[in-house]
Structure formats: structure tokens, C-alpha cells
Amino acid sequence: MIAVEDDGSLATVRVDDGRVVTVLGGPGAPERNMSSSIDRRYTVGRHYEFHPSNNKDPYQDNACTATHVVAEPQRAAPVQPSDDLVPAALSTDQSAAQTSYALLVGSVAALVVMAGGAVWLVRVKRMRRPVSPT
């Protein structure tokens, strides 16, 4: 809501896509010099979700539509890199080094286990072969 006139029943609104539109908060033209029991009043600075009764500018709205005030969207502050996410005993560089070391040790252990399994499999297969008489 960027501006209101006519005791708050005529609103100038900037919509989410950046367009500026007019919303009439009651029946009739803005110069009607009268009010009714279904006139809706708007306040500058508040955020509204509009449900007008027509689909072109100027939009017609009144107290009988589902238009309502909504909370302003919260804008999150940008996240800054920080060492706070790493345990105090480790700096960011030490943490990266420990992770690399753990990956290296884990990879070597996996290779040793796979090599041992392959050797065991070859031995089992050789033991099952029938020995041919010569």
C-alpha cells in the first residue's frame, strides 16, 4: 500500500510483480462523495492480500470480499561464513584436514577388505576343484 485517498477507501497499491494499480474500497467512483456500510478502508504501509470482485484496474473491493491484512514477509539477513559452526578446538583448516584424513583412511581400509575378500574367494574356489589323477 503506497497511498490512500478518500478516507482510506481509494488505494494505490504496488503489487508483487512491481505494477502500480488502483483499488476502490467500495461501490461507485472515487469521486462519489459518499460512503456505505461495505466500504473497506486501507492503511498506508500495511500489506494486504486482495480478492477484488473484478479482474481489471481499477479493482473493486469491499468489506464483503476475502481481502485481508497479511504480515509483512520477513527478509532473512544474508548468512556470513563463520568459524562458529566448527568445534572450538578446530579451526576451519584443521577440520578440512581431518575430514580428508578420515576419507583417506576409510578408502584404504575398504581396499584392504576387498583385496582380502578376493584372495579368500580364489582360495575357496581352488579348494573345491577336484584333483585330477595324473
Side-chain angles (χ1 to χ4, degrees), residues 75-120:
R75 303 201 192 304
V79 176
Q80 299 296 325
S82 169
D83 282 340
D84 293 344
L85 301 176
V86 178
L90 302 174
S91 74
T92 305
D93 293 335
Q94 289 174 333
S95 176
Q98 283 192 344
T99 301
S100 297
Y101 180 73
L103 288 172
L104 176 65
V105 169
S107 299
V108 169
L111 287 173
V112 168
V113 168
M114 288 190 305
V119 168
W120 175 80

Side-chain angles (χ1 to χ4, degrees), residues 1-13 21-44 48 50 52-54 57-63 65 67:
M1 189 68 52
I2 57 178
V4 293
E5 298 174 35
D6 199 20
D7 282 335
S9 65
L10 173 64
T12 304
V13 179
V21 299
T22 301
V23 178
L24 304 174
E31 308 86 28
R32 66 187 187 273
N33 294 326
M34 62 178 204
S35 63
S36 73
S37 62
I38 62 168
D39 282 1
R40 185 183 297 276
R41 304 273 185 237
Y42 306 104
T43 305
V44 173
Y48 294 85
F50 288 95
S53 57
N54 67 332
D57 194 5
Y59 293 95
Q60 297 286 326
D61 192 24
N62 61 52
T65 67
T67 296

